[in-house]
Amino acid sequence: MFCIVISLQAPLNVHGAESNKIYNWSFNPSSNNEPSKTEPIYEDLLQKYGGYWIGDTMEKKIYLTFDNGYENGYTEKVLDVLKEKNVPATFFVTGHYLKEEQELIQRMVKEGHIVGNHSYHHPSLPEVSDERLRRELENLRELYKDVTGKDDMCYLRPPRGTFSERSLARSAELGYINVFWSFAYKDWVTQEQKGWKYAYDSIMKRVHPGAIMLLHSVSGDNAEALPKVIDDLQKQGYEFKSLDDLAFKRELPREFPTDESN
């Protein structure tokens, strides 16, 4: 497989001329499974620099993403469920996770999931220099290549949900597609887990067409709820799609294995 850098909606600014005003990603969830809303300036910046936060809200497609900074023993169960249900996902990982959980990373790749960049040390990217930003992303990409033999890491989940026009521009120049989210709930605080039913209800009441879902595999509640979430959403007509389906919809697909006997 390989990464294709998509064409941006507009030319990048002259290097160094972008605003570094810091934004904290946020969205307004809607009721009755209607699509979420976000700030117009956020949408404009993501369109300008080729990023995503939501898919086509006219299509009942869902994009599962997990942020993995550390392991809490549940990722294997999440992967088991995804394999059983034949559902793709994207796992955004840090340098710590890549170093410590190489078998899980290799399994993600082997089973067709995407491994995305969550930076090496998880800093707020608009608060570091251009050179530090480059090192954070490229050092992680090199480690991923060492661990997997793959050179197809091109999706970025900005650490801490912070960004600026400058951080979007610099990461886009490095070939990354910034991916935010239109659905999330407080699932990463493991001391506040409330049971699988709470996780299930939290997801089902706000999921919407085109949702890019942010989940954390450190949550035992998520791991327990995931099979029923997938089954019930599919019964409602939803399809679970890869970020490749979203980002490369009008571009060439990734390279797939071919019959070398021909």
Side-chain angles (χ1 to χ4, degrees), residues 28-87:
N28 296 317
S30 300
S31 58
N32 301 318
N33 303 107
E34 292 295 320
S36 302
K37 306 291 184 183
T38 193
E39 300 294 332
I41 190 171
Y42 297 175
E43 292 188 304
D44 291 345
L45 285 171
L46 287 179
Q47 182 178 23
K48 183 174 184 178
Y49 293 102
Y52 291 91
W53 75 281
I54 196 169
D56 187 340
T57 57
M58 300 301 292
E59 297 181 337
K60 296 187 80 170
K61 294 181 179 180
I62 295 173
Y63 307 89
L64 274 181
T65 72
F66 294 85
D67 282 4
N68 287 56
Y70 63 96
E71 182 55 42
N72 205 28
Y74 298 110
T75 304
E76 186 174 2
K77 183 168 185 176
V78 167
L79 287 169
D80 288 344
V81 172
L82 296 175
K83 183 176 181 179
E84 177 190 352
K85 306 296 184 182
N86 194 29
V87 165

Side-chain angles (χ1 to χ4, degrees), residues 4-232:
I4 304 166
V5 181
I6 63 170
S7 300
L8 299 177
Q9 300 299 317
L12 293 179
N13 290 345
V14 176
H15 185 88
E18 306 86 5
S19 168
N20 198 44
K21 180 178 179 180
I22 298 175
Y23 300 105
N24 291 279
W25 179 255
S26 62
F27 64 93
N28 296 317
S30 300
S31 58
N32 301 318
N33 303 107
E34 292 295 320
S36 302
K37 306 291 184 183
T38 193
E39 300 294 332
I41 190 171
Y42 297 175
E43 292 188 304
D44 291 345
L45 285 171
L46 287 179
Q47 182 178 23
K48 183 174 184 178
Y49 293 102
Y52 291 91
W53 75 281
I54 196 169
D56 187 340
T57 57
M58 300 301 292
E59 297 181 337
K60 296 187 80 170
K61 294 181 179 180
I62 295 173
Y63 307 89
L64 274 181
T65 72
F66 294 85
D67 282 4
N68 287 56
Y70 63 96
E71 182 55 42
N72 205 28
Y74 298 110
T75 304
E76 186 174 2
K77 183 168 185 176
V78 167
L79 287 169
D80 288 344
V81 172
L82 296 175
K83 183 176 181 179
E84 177 190 352
K85 306 296 184 182
N86 194 29
V87 165
T90 299
F91 294 86
F92 290 98
V93 302
T94 63
H96 172 78
Y97 197 92
L98 253 174
K99 287 192 297 183
E100 299 297 322
E101 306 297 340
Q102 296 188 17
E103 289 186 7
L104 285 174
I105 296 292
Q106 290 165 351
R107 180 180 173 185
M108 291 169 189
V109 172
K110 181 180 179 181
E111 295 181 359
H113 303 297
I114 294 170
V115 177
N117 200 319
H118 202 33
S119 81
Y120 204 97
H121 296 102
H122 204 260
S124 172
L125 294 182
E127 297 181 56
V128 301
S129 67
D130 286 359
E131 176 57 24
R132 169 78 186 278
L133 185 151
R134 184 192 66 78
R135 291 199 311 270
E136 285 288 339
L137 303 187
E138 295 304 270
N139 287 353
L140 189 98
R141 181 148 62 184
E142 285 302 313
L143 179 57
Y144 167 76
K145 186 176 179 180
D146 290 343
V147 170
T148 67
K150 301 287 186 179
D151 193 18
D152 59 357
M153 179 174 276
C154 61
Y155 296 101
L156 169 64
R157 169 71 41 82
R160 310 183 189 186
T162 61
F163 65 102
S164 67
E165 182 176 10
R166 180 182 69 87
S167 69
L168 294 178
R170 294 294 84 77
S171 54
E173 289 169 354
L174 292 169
Y176 288 97
I177 300 168
N178 282 267
V179 181
F180 291 87
W181 57 91
S182 65
F183 169 90
Y185 77 101
K186 194 174 181 181
D187 64 347
W188 65 91
V189 183
T190 56
Q191 300 92 329
E192 297 182 14
Q193 299 293 286
K194 300 179 181 179
W196 75 266
K197 186 66 164 55
Y198 178 83
Y200 172 86
D201 290 341
S202 297
I203 293 170
M204 297 301 288
K205 71 182 180 182
R206 286 185 174 169
V207 70
H208 60 81
I212 296 179
M213 296 179 63
L214 166 58
L215 298 173
H216 291 79
S217 61
V218 296
S219 165
D221 290 356
N222 284 346
E224 291 290 336
L226 192 58
K228 184 170 176 57
V229 166
I230 292 172
D231 288 345
D232 289 357

